[in-house]
Amino acid sequence: MTEKEKTQSDPKDLMEKLVSLCKRRGFVFPGSEIYGGLANSWDYGPLGVELKNNIKKLWWKKFVQERGDMVGLDAALVMNPKVWEASGHVATFNDPLVEDKKTHERFRLDHLLEAAGENVSGLGFEAMAAKAKEINLKSPKGNELTDAKQFNMMLETYLGPVKDEENKVYFRPETAQAIFVDFQNSLETSRQRIPFGIAQIGKAFRNEITPGNFIFRTREFEQMEIEYFVKPTEWEKYFEEWLENMKSWMRDIGISEDKLHFVEIAEADRAHYSKRTIDVEFDYPFGQKELYGLAYRGDFDLKSHQDKSRQDLEYRDPETNEKYLPHVIEPSFGVDRTILAVLISAYTEIEGGRSTTTEAIKEAEVVLRLDKKIAPIKIAILPLSKKEELSVPAKQLADKLRKRWMIMYDESQSIGKRYRRQDEIGTPYCITIDFDSLEDKKVTVRDRDTMLQERIAIDDLENYFKEKLDY
Ligand code: ATP
């Protein structure tokens, strides 16, 4: 980088710029766009799905494959409704809802109270409703509000041809409960011993009253969750261990550490069964909000499912023969919020550009400094000319490297513009093939971050990239 260049890692209007880049380059599209869209639904496009898959694969590798004490699960999305009675979701998975009497817009009462400067921390539904009356709370447009209602966030549907109460089921509002329901089956078949954990990645659905902020809060989203089963006396040790594991994960994927906050949730705000909860919060452009959660849930879930199902869910220690319900540490990761946090962390604008070619490119240049492990495209192959002399060997090279890594081939426009296109989507390496390559059988490899260019023999490329890209 030359002196005249100034890097802005947190530019103004960052969300607007990110949403636009995501659409323009194929990371995230508005859902159902050709039909005018569906509010707050988003589709991951060609680059977005690569980024998402890389994040999920890396998470699975770190937390399942590389550990002897973890196993995986991929449970059905729609479960027996009794699951959600036992878990407490039917009775208590509620948001306090109020409606503007004039416009009929709906709001979350806790959000409105907070906006009015009230501290809602630790207030239950009744207390919040009373507070709203006491201060004569109005809607953001200054209109009267309806009385608060408890609004259950579970999305309902019906299985089978008859739409009656008997056939009513719920789309799961979290992936975690299936882990408890499948606890005994997983334990018996994997022959694990305490402490051990079960991990699951999958979609979850919540009928959020106020979705928004791009992919931050949607009604359909993806979670990566772990239940780690421990001896009741050892929970504190494993809580600390999982906190460290979460920090290490965030470093692995390049989430800016200076934007992270670890918020201890006070007793009054925690679920009654939890002795400790930490919210991992991130500085999004729209404020400091939750990214992940870490909770100690005691034996609440296994106990509820044991009582409701009347099945024995206890663990028998093979050495002492002691029987008990294991306690649980739950690290919970949202996939979509991970994507938003890595994009925000990686987005860099360089005023005046940093082009290595002679052509003057004046506008700010965007470099997405994504970690190599999660970048959607690992290598771009750019022949210096469209002539067959270069394009044929360049395409052959692309086909060869494609067997191991995601490759993009691009021969249109100037090399400067092509570098910029790759920088903008976070491609860590570009290979250019020039007329000298035909003679010396070497190509130029350019590094996205250092912009250093190295001449590498074509025959050595695979080993070169194995070292740089495989993990
Ligand atoms: P919030 O307070 O933001 O509503 P939460 O505390 O209800 O979140 P959890 O129930 O702990 O969230 O869910 C675990 C993780 O799932 C969250 O940390 C987040 O990453 C993700 N998540 C939850 N709700 C949504 C949503 N509506 N859209 C996208 N991700 C979500």
Side-chain angles (χ1 to χ4, degrees), residues 90-230:
V90 171
T92 62
F93 196 53
N94 297 322
D95 271 345
L97 170 81
V98 284
E99 208 175 296
D100 181 314
K101 281 188 177 168
K102 254 197 191 142
T103 65
H104 301 291
E105 280 170 283
R106 294 176 149 199
F107 303 96
R108 262 173 67 171
L109 177 58
D110 50 338
H111 289 174
L112 288 190
L113 284 169
E114 271 173 355
E118 296 293 329
N119 183 5
V120 292
S121 158
L123 290 191
F125 174 75
E126 300 298 339
M128 271 193 273
K131 175 68 77 192
K133 283 228 160 88
E134 183 192 315
I135 63 166
N136 195 17
L137 186 72
K138 294 278 191 310
S139 80
K141 296 208 172 112
N143 301 324
E144 290 288 317
L145 291 166
T146 58
D147 285 342
K149 272 195 300 205
Q150 292 273 35
F151 177 78
N152 193 287
M153 294 211 288
M154 281 201 294
L155 220 68
E156 298 170 4
T157 190
Y158 298 86
L159 285 188
V162 187
K163 275 195 176 178
D164 61 12
E165 275 301 297
E166 286 221 338
N167 290 324
K168 188 161 96 179
V169 290
Y170 304 99
F171 287 105
R172 65 181 177 201
E174 60 175 39
T175 55
Q177 288 306 316
I179 296 179
F180 299 115
V181 173
D182 282 321
F183 169 72
Q184 273 300 358
N185 278 337
S186 303
L187 176 67
E188 277 166 25
T189 52
S190 67
R191 304 167 65 90
Q192 286 284 346
R193 289 189 183 182
I194 297 277
F196 84 101
I198 304 177
Q200 174 162 233
I201 300 180
K203 285 269 171 114
F205 296 79
R206 295 183 188 179
N207 205 0
E208 298 274 2
I209 299 171
T210 45
N213 288 323
F214 193 34
I215 51 175
F216 174 79
R217 188 181 301 285
T218 50
R219 295 192 172 111
E220 172 180 345
F221 56 97
E222 209 160 353
Q223 293 183 315
M224 307 186 283
E225 294 195 297
I226 291 168
E227 303 300 330
Y228 196 75
F229 300 95
V230 302

Side-chain angles (χ1 to χ4, degrees), residues 47-63:
L47 295 182
V49 68
E50 294 302 328
L51 177 62
K52 200 180 198 191
N53 282 345
N54 290 344
I55 287 171
K56 290 192 281 183
K57 262 191 281 178
L58 192 66
W59 188 89
W60 199 262
K61 181 166 185 285
K62 184 178 180 78
F63 292 129

Side-chain angles (χ1 to χ4, degrees), residues 20 36 62 75 124 128 145 157-158 195 266 303 306 317 366 391 397 426 449:
S20 143
K62 184 178 180 78
M128 271 193 273
L145 291 166
T157 190
Y158 298 86
K303 193 163 182 317
Q306 178 166 269
D317 187 307
V366 173
S391 70
L397 179 62
D449 297 327

Side-chain angles (χ1 to χ4, degrees), residues 222-453:
E222 209 160 353
Q223 293 183 315
M224 307 186 283
E225 294 195 297
I226 291 168
E227 303 300 330
Y228 196 75
F229 300 95
V230 302
K231 262 193 192 159
T233 50
E234 293 186 337
W235 73 268
E236 277 156 309
K237 172 174 135 198
Y238 290 109
F239 191 97
E240 291 299 332
E241 215 177 277
W242 277 101
L243 183 58
E244 286 313 306
N245 290 341
M246 291 178 94
K247 288 182 181 170
S248 146
W249 159 254
M250 292 185 279
R251 277 195 298 275
D252 285 353
I253 55 170
I255 290 181
S256 298
E257 286 186 55
D258 57 0
K259 288 190 161 58
L260 286 173
H261 307 268
F262 296 86
V263 182
E264 286 275 354
I265 303 302
E267 197 178 345
D269 297 347
R270 284 194 307 255
H272 62 94
Y273 47 78
S274 176
K275 290 211 183 72
R276 195 171 174 201
T277 299
I278 289 184
D279 277 355
V280 182
E281 298 185 348
F282 181 80
D283 292 321
Y284 301 92
F286 43 86
Q288 179 183 327
K289 296 193 186 298
E290 179 167 327
L291 170 62
Y292 299 148
L294 175 64
Y296 165 54
R297 302 178 61 92
D299 63 359
F300 172 78
D301 306 88
L302 283 179
K303 193 163 182 317
S304 307
H305 287 300
Q306 178 166 269
D307 291 349
K308 182 105 186 153
S309 67
R310 296 170 188 232
Q311 302 290 313
D312 180 4
L313 299 184
E314 286 192 334
Y315 171 79
R316 181 191 293 279
D317 187 307
E319 270 147 34
T320 63
N321 254 341
E322 186 194 353
K323 262 192 100 190
Y324 61 91
L325 279 176
H327 282 205
V328 148
I329 310 291
E330 180 187 78
S332 183
F333 307 70
V335 177
D336 311 83
R337 289 187 192 176
T338 305
I339 290 175
L340 192 51
V342 296
L343 287 174
I344 290 165
S345 304
Y347 188 95
T348 316
E349 257 182 17
I350 297 163
E351 280 173 18
R354 54 168 206 172
S355 176
T356 49
T357 63
T358 47
E359 65 192 295
I361 300 175
K362 297 260 162 35
E363 337 86 81
E365 188 177 332
V366 173
V367 183
L368 208 51
R369 296 190 195 276
L370 289 173
D371 188 279
K372 287 187 277 196
K373 297 188 286 301
I374 59 172
I377 304 294
K378 307 295 183 201
I379 307 164
I381 298 194
L382 320 170
L384 271 192
S385 146
K386 276 186 191 164
K387 290 201 176 108
E388 275 191 9
E389 256 176 296
L390 292 190
S391 70
V392 169
K395 281 179 185 160
Q396 278 169 354
L397 179 62
D399 285 341
K400 188 169 157 213
L401 296 181
R402 249 184 209 124
K403 298 211 160 59
R404 296 188 70 96
W405 301 287
M406 274 314 280
I407 304 291
M408 191 180 277
Y409 176 85
D410 185 4
E411 59 177 28
S412 62
Q413 295 189 306
S414 72
I415 189 68
K417 286 202 175 118
R418 281 184 273 164
Y419 279 149
R420 289 181 59 132
R421 278 208 287 270
Q422 294 304 323
D423 288 345
E424 197 184 37
I425 60 169
T427 306
Y429 298 104
C430 290
I431 295 179
T432 47
I433 298 186
D434 51 34
F435 289 99
D436 288 344
S437 306
L438 302 176
E439 301 300 318
D440 66 3
K441 307 283 178 229
K442 288 183 176 173
V443 292
T444 303
V445 178
R446 172 202 185 252
D447 180 298
R448 175 195 71 200
D449 297 327
T450 61
M451 296 212 300
L452 289 178
Q453 307 206 358

